[in-house]
Amino acid sequence: MNFEFSDDQKLLKEQARGFLQSKCSTKEVRRILDGKEPYHPELWKGVAEMGWLGASIPEEYGGLGLGYLELCVIAEELGRAVAPIPFSSTVYLFAEAVLIAGTEAQKQKYLPKVSEGAIIGALALSEGAGAVTPKTIKTSAAGGKLTGVKLPVTDGDVADYAVVAAKTGAGNDEGSISLFIVDMKGAGVKAEAVDTVDPTRSHARVSFDGAAAEPLGATGQGWAILDKVFDRAAVLYAFEQVGGSQAALEMARDYAMGRYAFGRPIASFQAIKHKLADMYVATELARSNSYYGAWALSTDAPELAIAAATARVSATEAYHECSKENIQVHGGMGFTWEFDCHLHYRRSKVLSLVLGSLPRWKDRLISRLEERNAA
Amino acid sequence: MDFNDTPQEAGFRVQAREWIAANRPADWQNKAGGRDQDGIAISKAWQKKKYDAGWACIHWPKEFGGRGATPIERVIWSQEEGELGALSGLFIIGQGMCAPTIMAHGSQVAKARHVPKIASGEEIWCQLFSEPGSGSDLAGLRTRAEKQGDEWVINGQKIWTSGAHYSDYGILITRTDPTVAKHKGLTMFYLDMRSPGVTIKPIKQVSGRSDFNEVYFADVRIPDSQRLGEVGEGWKVSLTTLMNERLAVGGGFPTNFEEMFEMAKVIEDEDGPAIDNASVREKLADWYIRSAGLRNTSYRMISALSRGQAPGPEASISKLVLGVNRLNMASTMLDIQDAYGVISQKDLAVNGGQFHEIFFRAVAHRIEGGTDEILRNIIAERVLGLPGDIRVDKDLPFNKIPTGAN
């Protein structure tokens, strides 16, 4: 059994960490947090030059063709660094949707541009509060034109292209939904940034008013394609969450070692030690589940549906626990803008919602287990 | 990443599988795990058969009955032995804790005379460590050993001794000098459990069963030749045993997820099966991700072993996660039966009372072999590098340490 990353993959991870330590310090993350820029352009450029955007995109489409395990180790480091760039929207969502459902021409058109960092991609799904279902999607497409409002769209304000879910059929079943690629700079598209819990990741309200829409996949297949995109993306997001959990745990540990109260480091109190032990346990379980997800993703195993939901749920829980308890360990200072604790607390919430919330993924996990046992 | 054996591992697996197929005992299921005469007899017979063919304690050196197997071969063997492993529970303490202690600290005579018999199952051993006044704080133990000529005279009481009533021998930690600091006045021995002055009383547990005992010592005599390690070095010796205990206890319990999942499909109320209830689904999901997390963590450990490396610190989380979550899930399984859940009578209870048993047994799982709290301390100190607790009794002579009413 070999349930570990290879030496080459570990080396890639070390390189990624080194690169992000120098180009994505907390100071750089705060530049986006406090400033007006929607993302960090120099970091985005650097990441493109490293080839990370095309890590799992096949060479025939301009990528490095390394594979998903390589993308997973990169994702972990991006999560650890709280990187303020549209990486996940572009790579895990837009590029994966094109890889899964695109025609040869669409792959040739979009994927090389993703690989070289020439375009930013997004996925436009949600239209209001509550879980997204075929019923809640009111945006419609007919005759190659798309009309409706999507809110929020992660990176919608900076994206060049978006995959948009729209109604093409009558009724509210899954077959009523189709996917389209829309040129976000084209006519009939208006995007405005909205305030969110994590200003280091941009979100927008996107209005489509007869925007030109290019079908992605067959009509009525939209929901089925999204399901596949979500399974793959869940594993990749889980690695970002594991990276973030680990970083928050280390922050809490280091602070507890240096902070003295009652004449001793607070790290010597069992209340703090046990809290940190629980953070460690949550992180390790999430890491192990994410590894299994990575294996299923990289081998396109039938276990992916269950493995992805398992990784998603445990990584979401771990990052929530680690980011909130990191603040608690810091005490009052953890509640200041000045300390970095809130960077993880914010990112943790954004990552936990972007693919659908925790209760929804728990339900999805049990549904997948029911399907497996029925088979 | 892949789940395949290396060619060497695959060869070993075939060898193990073929031997087990040719030698597996018939009609063992009903008796496995029993501690009555039948249960002990079938366990001993299987153990002896394995020993004679070189399949007992395979990671031990040849001279003690093993085959010097690598850690990954040990994992493969236990995978292949599968359910039959239930027959080996009787020997876990002897093979997992006592024998490593004897191998590390015993005399040549002790090693030659006892270790192979522990491997073959001819001798069953127990561990006499905990006392009524010293559980997590094991070094606070009070059982006295006083030297008289070539013998030691033992007086005191041990508790929570698994299998004392059917054990042949036990390893025993005692206080030989109460005037020095508590960790410094301890000495380890082994003794024949049928020695005069030893009285064994079963403890009736919360579960109604009696798996553990109290053991009383009244002027029990042990020859000095049965000392393990130097006088006053008992703490150091005990660490060998305890290190092995956490390995032996950790993975010993199943998660029972599949049974719970199936049961939630079967139990119905007017809204349909319990599994359609959102709160039940959420609890099942919570347990699934933890069960899967432990399984996947064990894959990481096995991978490390397969590469000839020591498993990482993630190995320490298993018991901490299993204990409290099994307890809570068993409670949920009773909840979904509603009022009927009170019934534990085997012929009436859902699943033959399996979840009622876990509901009680898991209580002990959180305590034995290191409590949840001690395990968190261990993770905090050894994995995360946090400071040790401040120990107010560390440098006091043992007989000056304050004691409470309990």
Side-chain angles (χ1 to χ4, degrees), chain B residues 119-139:
Chain B
S120 69
E122 286 163 90
E123 287 180 5
I124 299 174
W125 283 57
C126 62
Q127 172 205 349
L128 299 146
F129 277 28
S130 293
E131 294 187 8
S134 62
S136 293
D137 181 15
L138 176 63

Side-chain angles (χ1 to χ4, degrees), chain A residues 230-276:
Chain A
F230 272 38
D231 281 346
R232 294 188 186 183
V235 175
L236 297 163
Y237 277 111
F239 273 89
E240 287 201 9
Q241 292 166 313
V242 166
S245 303
Q246 183 73 40
L249 168 60
E250 288 170 16
M251 264 177 87
R253 178 194 171 276
D254 292 348
Y255 186 77
M257 293 292 277
R259 169 85 183 184
Y260 276 61
F262 307 101
R264 51 199 265 212
I266 62 168
S268 69
F269 291 106
Q270 287 196 350
I272 300 293
K273 289 163 77 171
H274 289 191
K275 185 188 295 299
L276 288 165

Side-chain angles (χ1 to χ4, degrees), chain A residues 194-324:
Chain A
V194 294
D195 291 342
T196 69
V197 295
D198 182 8
T200 67
R201 294 291 290 109
S202 203
H203 289 72
R205 174 210 304 270
V206 181
S207 310
F208 300 102
D209 183 9
E214 172 190 337
L216 177 68
T219 303
Q221 285 299 302
W223 203 260
I225 297 164
L226 284 175
D227 241 17
K228 288 187 188 156
V229 173
F230 272 38
D231 281 346
R232 294 188 186 183
V235 175
L236 297 163
Y237 277 111
F239 273 89
E240 287 201 9
Q241 292 166 313
V242 166
S245 303
Q246 183 73 40
L249 168 60
E250 288 170 16
M251 264 177 87
R253 178 194 171 276
D254 292 348
Y255 186 77
M257 293 292 277
R259 169 85 183 184
Y260 276 61
F262 307 101
R264 51 199 265 212
I266 62 168
S268 69
F269 291 106
Q270 287 196 350
I272 300 293
K273 289 163 77 171
H274 289 191
K275 185 188 295 299
L276 288 165
D278 287 339
M279 291 162 73
Y280 173 79
V281 170
T283 303
E284 286 308 309
L285 290 176
R287 180 181 295 284
S288 298
N289 284 333
S290 298
Y291 280 25
Y292 192 70
W295 166 78
L297 175 62
S298 68
T299 56
D300 200 19
E303 288 87 347
L304 178 61
I306 290 170
T310 306
R312 168 80 181 157
V313 171
S314 57
T316 297
E317 287 189 341
Y319 200 12
H320 177 64
E321 173 162 353
C322 290
S323 65
K324 98 180 141 71

Side-chain angles (χ1 to χ4, degrees), chain A residues 1-5 9-10 69 239 249 253 256-257 264-265 267-270 272-278 280-281 283-285 287-295 298-299 306 309-311 313-314 317 358-359 361-370 372-374, chain B residues 1-6 9 72 79 257-258 261-262 265 275-276 281-282 284-286 288-290 292-300 302-304 306-307 309 312-317 320-321 372-377 379-381 383-390:
Chain A
M1 177 179 296
N2 177 15
F3 192 58
E4 234 329 326
F5 289 96
Q9 287 152 358
K10 286 181 188 160
L69 295 178
F239 273 89
L249 168 60
R253 178 194 171 276
M257 293 292 277
R264 51 199 265 212
S268 69
F269 291 106
Q270 287 196 350
I272 300 293
K273 289 163 77 171
H274 289 191
K275 185 188 295 299
L276 288 165
D278 287 339
Y280 173 79
V281 170
T283 303
E284 286 308 309
L285 290 176
R287 180 181 295 284
S288 298
N289 284 333
S290 298
Y291 280 25
Y292 192 70
W295 166 78
S298 68
T299 56
I306 290 170
T310 306
V313 171
S314 57
E317 287 189 341
L358 196 55
W361 276 93
K362 286 184 179 177
D363 183 67
R364 187 178 166 105
L365 169 60
I366 296 301
S367 299
R368 264 41 190 304
L369 290 167
E370 287 178 296
R372 180 199 65 185
N373 286 17
Chain B
M1 285 186 182
D2 66 67
F3 289 97
N4 304 324
D5 289 334
T6 65
E9 289 164 6
I72 190 68
Q79 288 170 344
F257 177 81
E258 293 301 331
F261 192 75
E262 288 308 310
K265 292 202 299 208
I275 199 167
D276 290 348
R281 289 175 91 73
E282 173 156 31
L284 283 170
D286 289 343
Y288 182 80
I289 63 144
R290 286 168 179 78
L294 292 179
R295 180 201 65 197
N296 294 332
T297 300
S298 78
Y299 291 161
R300 290 168 61 196
I302 293 169
S303 296
S306 177
R307 284 195 306 273
Q309 298 166 352
E314 65 274 7
S316 58
I317 68 178
L320 184 56
V321 174
D372 286 2
E373 292 71 23
I374 291 290
L375 293 180
R376 286 194 176 90
N377 278 354
I379 290 171
E381 291 169 23
V383 179
L384 300 175
L386 305 184
D389 273 8
I390 292 171

Side-chain angles (χ1 to χ4, degrees), chain B residues 76-286:
Chain B
I76 292 169
W77 167 261
S78 87
Q79 288 170 344
E80 292 301 319
E81 199 178 16
E83 290 182 342
L84 276 172
L87 290 173
S88 310
L90 189 61
F91 311 109
I92 281 182
I93 293 171
Q95 294 172 351
M97 301 171 217
C98 301
T101 310
I102 298 168
M103 284 190 251
H105 304 284
S107 67
Q108 288 307 325
V109 175
K111 283 190 246 190
R113 183 164 159 194
H114 294 291
V115 176
K117 286 190 172 168
I118 294 176
S120 69
E122 286 163 90
E123 287 180 5
I124 299 174
W125 283 57
C126 62
Q127 172 205 349
L128 299 146
F129 277 28
S130 293
E131 294 187 8
S134 62
S136 293
D137 181 15
L138 176 63
L141 63 93
R142 301 181 165 274
T143 294
R144 285 283 280 129
E146 286 168 291
K147 188 101 187 271
Q148 284 186 11
D150 276 346
E151 289 183 326
W152 293 82
V153 179
I154 316 294
N155 282 288
Q157 182 196 347
K158 295 288 174 178
I159 194 171
W160 301 118
T161 312
S162 315
H165 50 303
Y166 53 73
S167 287
D168 302 295
Y169 291 88
I171 57 173
L172 170 72
I173 185 159
T174 64
R175 183 160 309 279
T176 39
D177 185 354
T179 66
V180 296
K182 69 176 182 181
H183 290 93
K184 294 185 177 151
L186 304 175
T187 304
M188 185 84 85
F189 300 94
Y190 69 89
L191 84 162
D192 187 331
M193 288 301 286
R194 294 171 191 95
S195 305
V198 174
T199 308
I200 298 166
K201 291 187 183 166
I203 300 169
K204 186 168 184 184
Q205 299 147 207
V206 166
S207 57
R209 293 169 51 113
S210 293
D211 304 312
F212 304 96
N213 302 276
E214 292 178 295
V215 182
Y216 294 86
F217 298 88
D219 291 331
V220 175
R221 293 181 169 269
I222 301 180
D224 187 56
S225 62
Q226 292 180 204
R227 180 163 41 77
L228 295 170
E230 297 304 313
V231 174
E233 296 281 310
W235 183 250
K236 216 162 83 187
V237 177
S238 76
L239 291 181
T240 312
T241 319
L242 295 175
M243 242 161 44
N244 284 288
E245 175 171 31
R246 297 216 168 85
L247 292 176
V249 175
F253 286 84
T255 65
N256 300 104
F257 177 81
E258 293 301 331
E259 291 103 309
M260 294 180 182
F261 192 75
E262 288 308 310
M263 182 173 149
K265 292 202 299 208
V266 171
I267 304 287
E268 298 209 24
D269 63 17
E270 77 274 14
D271 298 325
I275 199 167
D276 290 348
N277 177 299
S279 83
V280 173
R281 289 175 91 73
E282 173 156 31
K283 287 198 166 101
L284 283 170
D286 289 343

